[in-house]
Structures are given as C-alpha cells and as structure tokens.
Amino acid sequence: MNDTTMQATSKVAEAVRVYRELARRPSVARGWINIGTTERKDVEVCTVWSQRDLETSKTIKFIRHHKITIADSRVRSVAPSGGPVDVSTCQLQQTSPSGNMAAVVRLVSDKQYLEIWTHTCKLKCVELQALDKHGKVYDDNTFGCFQWSPCERYVLYVAEKKTPKQESFFKRKDGEKAEPDAPVRGEEFVYQEDWGEGLVAKHRPVLCVFDVEEETVRVLTSSVSDDVSPGQAVWSPDGKGVVFVGWWHVPFRLGLIYCTNRRSALFHVDLDDSKCEQLTGDGLAVSSPRFSPDGSRLLYLQKKAGGPHNSCSQVAMYLWKEKTVVVVTDVVRKASGDSFPGLYIAEFGYLQCWAADSKRVVLHTYWRSKMVLLVINTDTREVKKLSAEGDAAAAAWKLLDIREDLVISACSSPGTSQHLRCAVLPPEGQEHLVTWELLDDDVPTVTPPLDHQVITFRPADGWTEEETYEAVLVRKRGVESPPLIVWPHGGPHSVLSSDFFLYPAGFSLLGFAVLLVNYRGSLGFGEDSLESLPGKVGSQDVSDVQHAVNTLVETGQVNKDQLFACGGSHGGFLVTHLIGQFPDMYKACVARNPVTNIASMLGSTDIPDWCSVEAGLVADHATSPSPDVYSAMLTKSPMYHADEIKAPTMIMLGEVDRRVPPTQGKELYRLLKTRDVPVKLLVYPDNSHPISKVDAEADAFVNIYKWF
C-alpha cells in the first residue's frame, strides 16, 4: 500500500469515527408534561428521543423522564428519573388528562395494537386490524393525531379508510352465492391517488374514535365529505364533537408534506347527530387547531391557499361561543433589523401552546437565521421573545409542551446537540423576567468545539437598501483558512437556522468551514423577501449564494482555492447552477436529489404547481403546457448552463423520491458523463427525498467527504 492510499484510508477512517460519534447524539421527537399534585409542586416531564443505530441500520426511539419541583412560581429542582426506555415499537403514545392512564399504538409484526395502561398494568390490548373497521393508523405529523377525550372514555385518531377487497375477473369460486363484503372483481389495478412524498399509500384518511370501555371503534365516514381528507383532529371542549383540518383533494391530490399552501379549512363534527360544519372560509390553507384551557378560544394557523409552497402564516383564533374568527398576528411584509418577521412554521408539532390564563400562547418560529420561542398575547396582539438571547449553546429553541405555565423546550446550536430547558412563564407583562433551567447537568457540546456566526449580506443586485439576507458560518475553533463548503438550503422557501445538523457539524470537525446560506426567498425574513424569488429562481438565488461566497472569501477567513458546493433538492438546483454559471470557481460539487430541469420535472413530480410558481407562472392543471411554458422553466434550470460544468460532480438519488424524481439527477449525470466531466452517481434503494435512512445517510456522509 503506497503513501497516497494509506493517507486516503486514514481520512476515511477519520470520517467514519466522526460520523459514529455524532450519530450517537439523539434528537427530541416530542415531549409532554404530566402534572402531579393539585398544588403542582411535583411535575413529570416525558420526552421521546430518536437515535441512529448504525449496527442495525435503524432509527431507535426511547423515552426519558425528569422530575421537576416548582415553588413560588419558580423551578426549584430538576432531576432525571430512571434511565431511558426503548419505545421503538410505539407509534403513538399519549397520557390521559388526569395522568391516570396512557394510550399506546404499538406496531408488532406489521400488526397495530391499541393498548391502555394504568400506573400498575396493561389494562386493555386490542388488535385494531382484527376489528376490521379501517386500515393502518396514521402516525405522521401531517394528518396524524392521538388524543384522549375530556371524559377519558374515548381516544381519537386517524387511520386509512377501509377499502373493499379486490380480486381478478378470472379467480375461480365455489358457486356464485352472495357474500357479505364480497371482493370487487377486476378493480385491482385501478390507480389510487395518495398524498405524495412522505405520505405514500395514504389515500383516504378517516377519523376514528376508540371506546375504551366497550373496546369498539366508530369511524366517522358519514360525517365528512368525500372530497375532503381529515386530519390534525382535536376534541371540542365538551367532548361531544371533534374539530379537524380538512384538505380538499379535487381535482386531484397534490403533494402535502413540506407544502403549507394546500387548500383546507377547519371543520367541526357533532358526534351526536354527525353533522359536519365548516368553521373557516374558502381559499385558505389552515393547520394546527389548539383549544385554550377554558375552551373559549381555538387557535390555528392560516394563509391564502396556493402560491409558494411555504410562507408566512397568520395566527388566527376562532371564538368558540361567538363563532367568529380573529386574526392575532398578520402577515409581515417587511422585517427591518431584528423586528418580528411574522410566523414561519409548518405546524405546531406539540399538543398545547396556551398559557393557563387562556390569553397568551407560546409558539416557536423562524426569526431570520434562528428559531426562537415567542409569547403572544391574543388580547393585545403583543409579540415578545421568550427564549434566552446570547447563549452560544442555545441558538435554536423548539417548544415541546406548556402545562399550567410550565414551559419545556429543546435547545441546540451548530456546535451543541439538542438538550432540554424549562421555565415557568411569568405573569402577563413580566415575560422578560423568565428564568430558564437545564433538565440535565451536562450540555452536549461537540468536542473539539465548533464556532458559528450569523453573517448579514446586502444583495449584490442592490434590490433595496434596507433588505438583507444571511448565512450561518460553522467551523472548528482554531482552524485558520479552512476549505469551504457552501451549502444552500432546499425549498426554496425554507431556512437553515442556527440549529444542530449532523452533516455541517461533521464536516466542520473534519476541517471544513460550512456556509449555510439563507438567500432571499427563505423563511423568517418577511413576506416581501420570500415573494421576491418566484420567477427569479436560477438567477436571484444563485446570485445571493455566490455573493455570500465572494464576500466571505474576500475576508480571508477561508481558503479561496478550496471551494466546494453541496446541496439537496432546491439546494441541489443551486449548487449545479453554481458550477455551471461559475465553472472555474468550485473544486467539486455534490447534489442530493437535485432539481436539474424544471420543464421535465413538471409531469413527474407530486407538486407540479411548484414548477409553475417558481418559474413565475400561474399553475394551471386544466391546460396543456405550451412551448413558452417549457421554455420559461428550462431557461431557469441548471441544465441550461450544464454545458459549462467542469467541476467533478457527485449526484445522490433516493430511488423512490416522489418530490424530485430520480430522472432529474440522471438527466444531468448522462450529460456530464457524455462530456467527460468527472461524475459519480449513487442511488439509494428505498430512500425518498431526504435520503435519511440510517445506512444511506451514513454512506452519503463518508462519500461526500471522499469526493471533496
């Protein structure tokens, strides 16, 4: 083995070591608070964590418990309670309002069981498929819900609608006598629409109510229109009805995950008479209904349907008795300096957000290149930051739960993985006095330490004097003039906050600086900034990323001769644009599930409207695209500049990606291979758009490092 080979082997071994160390760091999936005594002195906090297991190539889940003592409206003591417990087979889990019972949906050998537990034993266990009322229970964050009724007799959830069995025209039968639930003949190959990327095989969700005493299931099929798919359901305050989000699927289902712009509304079903009433107006996209503790107010998010796939939301409130809607925070057009930019989250992701006074709510949102906690007064419309400022280990805050004013948050930064903090929400007007406490003694900071800074840029094209965009620079402390990986986010209407991400942390530990660019069009900078991008993809966003790289290079902080580009989805779109428009600048490029040709993607993606909107066109599903439409899409695509590419390019594809089909990456691969540009194609079976399965993610990390 020569010196070069030995050196390469040593570098790969170091990359494997770094990945193993970072893969051991878990992340918080969800959390909740169990209130103990009526005096609320003792509180239990439960958090579910996910962690990569490289030996089994699976993601495991485990639950942790903490005990918190509260006195005089302050957290007085915090301590872990017992060790972590593996809950990998639990798909859904929820404690009853009194804390006396817990409901669990468990997956065992492809069968789902609904279990009811008390403090001492498993009280009930029902195989749901055996009841033959519905298909698989949903455990996703888009449609899924799992809630106890106020009386604790019923559990509400969402499942796939039961469909008739199918069989061939030619299947032999003994006689022709009629059978109950007889199979439908000759229909087994009829196409069934689903909800696209991340929601494959989810066709027709239905609301289900499990009766704990009778061990029966009631499916609310007659209450909901056939044109609507229900999800995100919550009980009405009296427990006699259900409020849910309904998504229309006419003329056909468009991809829903990562897309908050789908036409939808809030509905209420009365369980006594099965009457279904639409609560919110038409032409909107809504999500995340949450009732106040006194049941008088229903908070939710809303925006206009259509347009960019993600954007600023209004915080709206439905007054339950008055049956009227009030807008609490509106869309913010311009956000100068550090002013409130509007609310930018897809859905809440937590069961409760209300303070005990039923007036204030606590939410998290993207605020430029950070994720922060907010407290919003629904009476005065006042918005304040609740998360602490200036803590290098807590640059990103995510709400997990709030109960009787105890707030639990997961915090992280580019150099510190997620950890838990808690505080008691101070009285109205005194929120600035909040005091945060750690739930564990140790803060999980990366070693050797990583530094990060948020850099502000003015657009090179002189868009407006006051508007800016940002990037987060991550690097290992003490390393001078490192090689740089520029890493724009996907979307394009997304954002890379000052959070902990395994890849940037890993490459920083291996000696690179990583520049996470939040170009104009990103979330958290005001709606004017976001809406400036559609119609200018391939130019404005590319200019912003390149300007950020040029500006950083001019400071001398990075090695100008060692510049690399990496990105996925629209980030892959951008990095393949960069190496085509600036062919002599980048040493190598990695594109993960990249959009390379918007025109050819139009007929194969689950979100064809994205192709139209980002190309600056009106989405029209009822008209065949004209040559001008295809031309507008192609000229904004990386393939338009691909003849100029010189940089060695590695393309990574998820084989079952429904969002950006693998043909997009293969189209670029074939061109580069024909033109003798160094190119490598990796295809990951059973991986979709994120390429997030444990073995694929690990392999991709090492391959990117080798390529660079």
Side-chain angles (χ1 to χ4, degrees):
M1 185 181 295
N2 58 38
D3 291 344
T4 302
T5 303
M6 290 180 63
Q7 187 178 22
T9 302
S10 176
K11 287 185 175 181
V12 168
E14 177 64 6
V16 170
R17 184 196 66 79
V18 167
Y19 186 88
R20 283 188 183 278
E21 193 281 324
L22 294 177
R24 283 194 292 267
R25 293 172 177 263
S27 59
V28 185
R30 60 184 294 259
W32 63 95
I33 300 166
N34 294 328
I35 301 298
T37 63
T38 54
E39 293 82 11
R40 202 179 57 114
K41 293 180 180 179
D42 298 310
V43 174
E44 179 187 45
V45 173
C46 306
T47 49
V48 176
W49 300 70
S50 64
Q51 181 179 347
R52 304 163 180 88
D53 187 332
L54 291 174
E55 296 304 315
T56 63
S57 293
K58 293 182 179 179
T59 299
I60 63 169
K61 293 190 299 182
F62 60 87
I63 190 169
R64 297 187 64 206
H65 300 270
H66 289 81
K67 293 292 185 183
I68 299 177
T69 300
I70 298 173
D72 301 324
S73 299
R74 294 286 298 271
V75 174
R76 295 302 179 183
S77 67
V78 179
S81 177
V85 177
D86 190 299
V87 291
S88 298
T89 61
C90 294
Q91 293 184 296
L92 298 166
Q93 182 175 0
Q94 188 56 50
T95 304
S96 66
S98 68
N100 293 327
M101 292 188 290
V104 172
V105 171
R106 191 182 306 276
L107 181 66
V108 181
S109 301
D110 204 38
K111 293 182 179 180
Q112 290 178 309
Y113 297 86
L114 199 156
E115 303 170 352
I116 304 298
W117 292 78
T118 67
H119 290 302
T120 58
C121 68
K122 184 193 292 187
L123 187 66
K124 308 265 187 176
C125 182
V126 176
E127 182 191 337
L128 292 173
Q129 278 75 10
L131 298 180
D132 201 27
K133 292 290 188 178
H134 55 69
K136 291 287 188 181
V137 176
Y138 287 18
D139 62 344
D140 60 84
N141 293 323
T142 303
F143 291 105
C145 69
F146 198 54
Q147 285 207 344
W148 285 88
S149 63
C151 67
E152 301 192 1
R153 175 171 173 172
Y154 305 103
V155 178
L156 173 67
Y157 60 92
V158 175
E160 181 67 16
K161 184 178 180 179
K162 179 185 175 183
T163 57
K165 297 177 182 179
Q166 313 289 336
E167 68 179 21
S168 168
F169 285 121
F170 301 94
K171 183 175 181 179
R172 296 183 184 275
K173 287 189 173 184
D174 294 331
E176 294 294 331
K177 63 180 180 179
E179 302 175 14
D181 297 326
V184 177
R185 308 187 76 178
E187 297 284 325
E188 67 263 46
F189 301 114
V190 174
Y191 175 66
Q192 299 292 325
E193 291 179 14
D194 62 22
W195 283 99
E197 171 67 27
L199 298 168
V200 173
K202 294 184 176 179
H203 311 279
R204 303 240 6 152
V206 289
L207 301 175
C208 305
V209 177
F210 178 76
D211 187 323
V212 174
E213 292 183 8
E214 300 293 334
E215 298 184 15
T216 57
V217 172
R218 176 184 175 186
V219 180
L220 307 181
T221 49
S222 62
S223 305
V224 181
S225 167
D226 288 339
D227 294 333
V228 169
S229 288
Q232 299 184 15
V234 296
W235 291 97
S236 60
D238 60 6
K240 296 180 179 179
V242 170
V243 173
F244 66 91
V245 177
W247 288 268
W248 278 276
H249 41 69
V250 289
F252 58 88
R253 291 165 178 79
L254 289 166
L256 190 54
I257 196 169
Y258 315 131
C259 298
T260 62
N261 61 338
R262 301 301 180 219
R263 179 173 168 248
S264 50
L266 290 183
F267 296 85
H268 172 252
V269 173
D270 188 304
L271 296 183
D272 290 334
D273 60 14
S274 298
K275 180 182 177 182
C276 186
E277 176 188 9
Q278 184 175 332
L279 304 180
T280 54
D282 291 323
L284 297 173
V286 307
S287 68
S288 307
R290 298 291 187 274
F291 275 103
S292 60
D294 66 4
S296 66
R297 304 176 180 195
L298 177 65
L299 197 81
Y300 64 97
L301 302 179
Q302 72 174 18
K303 62 183 68 173
K304 290 182 179 179
H309 68 94
N310 208 347
S311 60
C312 186
S313 294
Q314 294 176 324
V315 177
M317 185 168 60
Y318 184 86
L319 303 180
W320 195 242
K321 292 182 179 179
E322 295 85 349
K323 298 185 180 298
T324 57
V325 173
V326 175
V327 174
V328 179
T329 67
D330 210 340
V331 172
V332 176
R333 303 304 313 182
K334 292 184 182 294
S336 58
D338 196 39
S339 62
F340 175 55
L343 200 79
Y344 291 91
I345 50 175
E347 63 268 327
F348 288 164
Y350 35 85
L351 285 178
Q352 186 56 279
C353 59
W354 284 93
D357 58 16
S358 291
K359 291 171 53 179
R360 294 174 296 164
V361 293
V362 177
L363 310 172
H364 59 239
T365 185
Y366 292 115
W367 189 309
R368 300 181 74 84
S369 296
K370 295 183 178 180
M371 179 174 276
V372 303
L373 291 185
L374 304 177
V375 57
I376 302 175
N377 190 311
T378 60
D379 284 347
T380 65
R381 316 293 193 265
E382 187 176 15
V383 179
K384 298 178 182 179
K385 284 185 183 178
L386 190 65
S387 46
E389 298 282 309
D391 188 336
W397 294 67
K398 177 183 177 183
L399 179 66
L400 297 178
D401 197 11
I402 174 173
R403 299 284 179 189
E404 298 186 19
D405 291 341
L406 176 64
V407 183
I408 305 297
S409 176
C411 303
S412 69
S413 73
T416 304
S417 54
Q418 281 190 323
H419 56 285
L420 303 175
R421 303 193 182 201
C422 66
V424 174
L425 180 66
E428 180 181 350
Q430 300 179 33
E431 291 89 353
H432 62 285
L433 299 177
V434 66
T435 302
W436 291 96
E437 303 289 345
L438 292 166
L439 269 68
D440 292 297
D441 293 335
D442 297 325
V443 176
T445 300
V446 171
T447 304
L450 303 180
D451 292 326
H452 78 275
Q453 65 180 116
V454 177
I455 306 172
T456 302
F457 302 95
R458 295 193 181 280
D461 58 14
W463 183 45
T464 60
E465 185 64 26
E466 69 274 10
E467 298 294 342
T468 59
Y469 65 99
E470 294 178 348
V472 182
L473 179 64
V474 186
R475 58 191 296 177
K476 185 163 65 174
R477 187 175 299 171
V479 175
E480 296 185 5
S481 191
L484 175 70
I485 302 174
V486 58
W487 202 304
H489 61 72
H493 308 297
S494 181
V495 66
L496 288 166
S497 69
S498 302
D499 207 337
F500 181 82
F501 301 107
L502 188 150
Y503 274 31
F507 292 127
S508 297
L509 288 173
L510 290 167
F512 291 89
V514 181
L515 188 67
L516 309 170
V517 185
N518 293 318
Y519 45 86
R520 284 172 291 169
S522 301
L523 303 179
F525 291 80
E527 203 67 354
D528 282 356
S529 176
L530 186 143
E531 292 179 355
S532 72
L533 183 56
K536 300 177 184 176
V537 294
S539 53
Q540 178 179 290
D541 45 3
V542 175
S543 172
D544 283 356
V545 176
Q546 184 64 22
H547 179 59
V549 174
N550 289 338
T551 303
L552 184 61
V553 167
E554 289 171 3
T555 67
Q557 294 184 63
V558 296
N559 187 339
K560 63 182 179 63
D561 297 320
Q562 293 289 317
L563 303 178
F564 303 90
C566 184
S569 193
H570 192 81
F573 172 93
L574 288 174
V575 297
T576 49
H577 258 301
L578 288 173
I579 59 175
Q581 295 189 38
F582 306 96
D584 297 315
M585 188 157 190
Y586 295 92
K587 302 288 286 185
C589 172
V590 173
R592 295 161 53 93
N593 286 326
V595 176
T596 64
N597 187 342
I598 302 175
S600 62
M601 182 171 140
L602 177 64
S604 56
T605 178
D606 66 331
I607 52 168
D609 59 316
W610 180 96
C611 300
S612 300
V613 169
E614 297 306 330
L617 308 170
V618 176
D620 183 358
H621 305 300
T623 304
S624 298
S626 68
D628 289 342
V629 167
Y630 284 126
S631 177
M633 293 179 178
L634 176 61
T635 54
K636 293 174 174 61
S637 300
M639 290 301 293
Y640 192 70
H641 303 278
D643 288 353
E644 305 299 321
I645 293 176
K646 301 177 183 178
T649 302
M650 182 163 64
I651 301 169
M652 298 177 163
L653 304 177
E655 192 174 49
V656 293
D657 188 351
R658 295 276 296 277
R659 184 58 41 95
V660 181
T663 50
Q664 287 286 296
K666 291 177 181 177
E667 189 172 339
L668 179 61
Y669 167 78
R670 288 166 180 158
L671 177 68
L672 297 183
K673 191 172 179 64
T674 303
R675 297 179 63 83
D676 291 326
V677 176
V679 63
K680 185 175 183 178
L681 178 63
L682 299 179
V683 179
Y684 294 98
D686 299 322
N687 275 261
S688 57
H689 195 54
I691 311 182
S692 58
K693 291 199 171 184
V694 172
D695 55 348
E697 185 196 60
D699 178 84
F701 178 87
V702 177
N703 267 297
I704 294 172
Y705 180 64
K706 286 181 64 181
W707 195 252
F708 289 166

